[in-house]
Amino acid sequence: MKPLVIRVDPLKIDLEKIKKAAGVIIKGGLVAFPTETVYGLGAAALDERAVAGIFSAKKRPLDDPLIVHIAENSGLKELVKVVPDKAKNLMEKFWPGPLTLVLKKRETVPDIVTTGLDTVAVRMPSGKIALKLIELSGTPIAAPSANLFGRPSPTSADHVEEDLGESVDVIIDGGDTDIGIESTVVAFSEDEVFILRPGGVTLEEIESVIGRVSICPPDNSLSASPGKYPRHYSPEAKVVLVEKGPGQKERVIREAQDNIGKGRKTGIMCFAGNVPAYQGFDVKELGPLEDARLSASRLFRIFREFDREGYDVIVAEGTEEEGLWAAIMNRIRKASAGS
Ligand code: TXA
Ligand code: MG
């Protein structure tokens, strides 16, 4: 069955519409909804059967745990046992917002949500529609990004429809998401703080609050999955990343010509100022290097556009991994892994 699409103006939220979607969550259904990062595919987090529906709709492996979304700090108590001081500091500074904390879970959280781990990932989104949906549902909402497993995360309702069409009950269409890439996932060991996935809150911002943090090596036991599935966020097209460095533009051109010569429909994804360097090629632009936020908000949409237009290869410019660029480059790198 086609999903019910409910259009909601994020600047003037119609509560009756959100109530209708909340009713579907309460009954154990699946609701795709916008957050400030990307669209999520939500179900009542403490309802095992509802959560099982998320995995089957996304074709997601059962060993890739979900994020549980809450609308108020008080919602944390029923989910987790202890909140380390550094986690508290981060919550104060970045919640609601694009930060996910991995904490020791309580029994109340079904194993299917955490894929049997003794930790649960929790986030309080800042998107107003998301917050209202959680509040009116009266339950924490488990939600991964609302894409088919391995595809780029959806930043608009039509991306959700494209991937999950028949298998979701309701899609709340709140327009394009603001940030466009997912939340930063942070985990805590006895004496260290790890970033498991770079995202909307940068390493630099986190360190300014709690001091030194580490990037989690993929083989660390804290890292549930991000390293386990290297090819992720991928368009159908093969992504070829051309790293920053001397002669980058020439290398991009050579790579593109090479692929075109082999009969492959090839596009270039570059930074805004560099478009003139690629005259005669098919180019889609991220933002300028000075504006990582703009690039973040465009990245997944551009991947999907290349796919819709039937490209075989995307040659992507790389840059230094500072600030929000770390998250953007992480997604491009994963998209290109295995290509
Ligand atoms: O911005 C976001 O985070 C979006 C929106 C919808 O909130 N959600 C999202 O969820 O990106 P998902 O499932 O696509 O990514 C969740 C990430 C995965 O890499 C997963 O492995 C990790 O969080 N994760 C979840 N629970 C974990 C746990 N207990 N330990 C370690 N990593 C965990
Ligand atoms: Mg995802």
Side-chain angles (χ1 to χ4, degrees):
M1 239 180 34
K2 279 225 170 269
L4 174 67
V5 178
I6 304 179
R7 293 215 162 69
V8 176
D9 179 351
L11 299 176
K12 196 166 156 274
I13 295 177
D14 181 341
L15 285 184
E16 286 310 310
K17 291 180 174 174
I18 308 288
K19 250 185 220 157
K20 192 163 179 179
V24 173
I25 293 278
I26 292 164
K27 285 205 200 102
L30 296 183
V31 175
F33 62 98
T35 78
E36 75 280 19
T37 57
V38 299
Y39 274 71
L41 176 63
L46 309 183
D47 176 343
E48 268 175 66
R49 276 199 31 212
V51 173
I54 294 178
F55 284 91
S56 51
K58 276 191 63 118
K59 303 195 168 59
R60 180 172 173 117
L62 282 162
D63 61 354
D64 192 1
L66 307 180
I67 296 174
V68 177
H69 297 70
I70 56 176
E72 286 170 62
N73 281 348
S74 61
L76 202 55
K77 278 202 295 287
E78 68 171 333
L79 304 174
V80 310
K81 284 189 180 145
V82 275
V83 184
D85 285 341
K86 286 185 175 174
K88 281 187 193 139
N89 298 338
L90 292 177
M91 284 165 54
E92 260 166 44
K93 177 81 181 175
F94 299 112
W95 276 10
L99 176 74
T100 296
L101 302 175
V102 175
L103 301 167
K104 286 269 178 282
K105 85 171 190 88
R106 277 191 195 280
E107 306 284 296
T108 38
V109 183
D111 279 340
I112 187 164
V113 172
T114 62
T115 65
L117 296 169
D118 64 351
T119 53
V120 60
V122 188
R123 161 164 128 80
M124 188 191 295
S126 62
K128 296 283 183 291
I129 293 174
L131 285 171
K132 266 292 163 224
L133 178 67
I134 300 162
E135 193 189 309
L136 295 178
S137 300
T139 167
I141 294 182
S145 48
N147 50 283
L148 280 174
F149 182 72
R151 296 266 297 143
S153 292
T155 59
S156 68
D158 63 312
H159 297 166
V160 178
E161 238 180 312
E162 183 174 83
D163 273 20
L164 302 178
E166 312 278 287
S167 45
V168 44
D169 300 306
V170 172
I171 300 175
I172 303 179
D173 180 353
D176 290 347
T177 58
D178 179 30
I179 297 175
I181 50 175
E182 306 86 345
S183 63
T184 305
V185 181
V186 174
F188 304 83
S189 73
E190 281 290 300
D191 39 31
E192 262 187 293
V193 180
F194 290 100
I195 293 189
L196 303 188
R197 177 179 73 182
V201 175
T202 66
L203 174 118
E204 293 84 347
E205 287 171 318
I206 290 172
E207 289 194 329
S208 76
V209 177
I210 57 167
R212 184 109 191 83
V213 301
S214 314
I215 305 289
C216 191
D219 55 353
N220 188 295
S221 65
L222 284 171
S223 165
S225 74
K228 231 169 22 194
Y229 300 105
R231 189 158 191 272
H232 218 123
Y233 316 107
S234 307
E236 302 292 326
K238 168 179 159 161
V239 176
V240 180
L241 172 61
V242 177
E243 300 281 355
K244 183 193 158 85
Q248 187 187 30
K249 293 193 184 78
E250 290 71 25
R251 286 182 283 129
V252 167
I253 289 171
R254 219 175 308 132
E255 193 62 58
Q257 278 170 338
D258 230 46
N259 279 288
I260 291 165
K262 289 176 182 146
R264 300 175 187 141
K265 187 170 178 186
T266 301
I268 293 173
M269 181 172 75
C270 73
F271 305 110
N274 295 348
V275 176
Y278 304 122
Q279 259 177 33
F281 292 94
D282 299 345
V283 181
K284 292 188 194 290
E285 51 180 332
L286 290 166
L289 280 167
E290 311 79 65
D291 191 354
R293 278 193 68 104
L294 186 60
S295 290
S297 72
R298 283 181 181 170
L299 177 69
F300 288 144
R301 168 174 301 282
I302 290 178
F303 279 169
R304 282 178 185 263
E305 279 173 9
F306 274 123
D307 275 352
R308 283 183 192 171
E309 294 162 24
Y311 282 85
D312 304 306
V313 178
I314 304 168
V315 182
E317 285 187 338
T319 187
E320 266 158 47
E321 314 202 2
E322 265 166 39
L324 193 56
W325 286 113
I328 299 167
M329 285 302 297
N330 169 272
R331 304 307 187 268
I332 299 176
R333 228 174 260 297
K334 291 215 169 180
S336 72
S339 283

